[in-house]
Amino acid sequence: MIQLRPTQSIDLDFVRQAERDPENRPFILQWTLAEHEAALQDPDMSHQIIEQASSQDPVGYTILRGLANAHRSLELKRLVVTQKGQGYGQQALRRIQQQVFEQYKAHRLWLDVKEFNKRAYDLYRKVGFVEEGRLRDCWRTELGFETVVVMSMLEDEYRQQLLQ
Ligand SMILES: CC(C)(COP(=O)(O)OP(=O)(O)OC[C@H]1O[C@@H](n2cnc3c(N)ncnc32)[C@H](O)[C@@H]1OP(=O)(O)O)[C@@H](O)C(=O)NCCC(=O)NCCS
């Protein structure tokens, strides 16, 4: 089982190491320490560590953006799990959905995922995200121009899922 807790400055070494890890780097944007520090202070963002509930060992981190959004539309800005394939990503997403729709009373949760990131795309579909469309060649990274898939989940879809 995992739990989420607010990231503190002392956690940022772990966060940046996870971000730069070759297993994760191709799939996510790289932030500077200053960008992460700013996110910790930003009332519009929620920067959280994903940890094993029993040991409290960190197994990833996640960032939500748009807490102050007038449209009640929140963005899952980042999700990284360092110990992959053990169900932590799925558990973290369920917990994030709960926070977004129950605690923050959002109407929409959205994200973008690189087109070639099959593992993440499949996982998002599995927990109920719907594909909205593709932004072709919208990012220029060290890999060249990259296409991202925009996905979202609405509040009523979240509630429907709880009934299943
Ligand atoms: C994507 C990520 C968050 C998933 O976390 P995870 O803990 O590894 O995923 P889980 O163990 O919960 O697996 C959940 C589902 O992912 C999918 N999945 C897992 N491994 C996969 C693989 N190698 N290929 C395709 N799909 C895969 C499956 O649907 C799986 O469910 P199932 O195996 O129970 O059927 C994690 O791998 C990660 O941090 N990747 C690098 C960073 C990243 O891509 N972040 C998302 C950016 S949008």
Side-chain angles (χ1 to χ4, degrees), residues 18 21 23-29 50 59-61 76-93 111-114 117-127 139 149:
D21 187 309
E23 273 202 296
N24 302 322
R25 190 182 175 93
F27 303 114
I28 50 175
L29 292 177
I50 304 165
V59 296
Y61 77 97
L76 176 56
K77 180 75 193 152
R78 192 71 52 81
L79 174 67
V80 175
V81 169
T82 51
Q83 295 179 33
K84 302 186 203 317
Q86 298 180 42
Y88 294 146
Q90 187 171 335
Q91 285 179 46
L93 277 169
L111 58 86
D112 55 47
V113 53
K114 291 189 183 188
N117 192 355
K118 185 168 167 18
R119 178 190 278 174
Y121 179 87
D122 288 350
L123 176 56
Y124 294 138
R125 288 294 305 265
K126 188 170 174 181
V127 300
W139 289 348
V149 184

Side-chain angles (χ1 to χ4, degrees), residues 28-164:
I28 50 175
L29 292 177
Q30 304 290 303
W31 276 11
T32 61
L33 183 60
E35 284 174 303
H36 280 290
E37 289 280 10
L40 299 190
Q41 306 303 326
D42 188 340
D44 193 47
M45 291 198 197
S46 167
H47 198 308
Q48 300 180 94
I49 295 292
I50 304 165
E51 63 182 18
Q52 267 178 343
S54 53
S55 65
Q56 298 186 341
D57 288 335
V59 296
Y61 77 97
T62 183
I63 303 173
L64 280 170
R65 184 163 74 173
L67 305 192
N69 183 284
H71 306 286
R72 291 166 55 205
S73 178
L74 268 66
E75 178 187 3
L76 176 56
K77 180 75 193 152
R78 192 71 52 81
L79 174 67
V80 175
V81 169
T82 51
Q83 295 179 33
K84 302 186 203 317
Q86 298 180 42
Y88 294 146
Q90 187 171 335
Q91 285 179 46
L93 277 169
R94 301 270 186 214
R95 182 77 193 96
I96 289 163
Q97 289 172 336
Q98 199 182 19
Q99 284 185 339
V100 163
F101 293 111
E102 308 286 355
Q103 184 180 337
Y104 296 120
K105 312 272 186 229
H107 179 68
R108 176 175 182 265
L109 172 62
W110 71 277
L111 58 86
D112 55 47
V113 53
K114 291 189 183 188
E115 193 175 39
F116 66 82
N117 192 355
K118 185 168 167 18
R119 178 190 278 174
Y121 179 87
D122 288 350
L123 176 56
Y124 294 138
R125 288 294 305 265
K126 188 170 174 181
V127 300
F129 282 85
V130 172
E131 182 175 330
E132 291 189 342
R134 287 171 192 241
L135 306 180
R136 297 182 303 157
D137 282 2
C138 68
W139 289 348
R140 188 177 175 211
T141 73
E142 57 204 20
L143 303 173
F145 287 105
E146 296 191 71
T147 294
V148 303
V149 184
V150 178
M151 305 180 84
S152 69
M153 175 171 223
L154 300 180
E155 186 181 0
D156 59 350
E157 292 164 349
Y158 165 75
R159 305 231 171 265
Q160 277 296 323
Q161 190 172 263
L162 291 182
L163 297 175
Q164 286 162 14

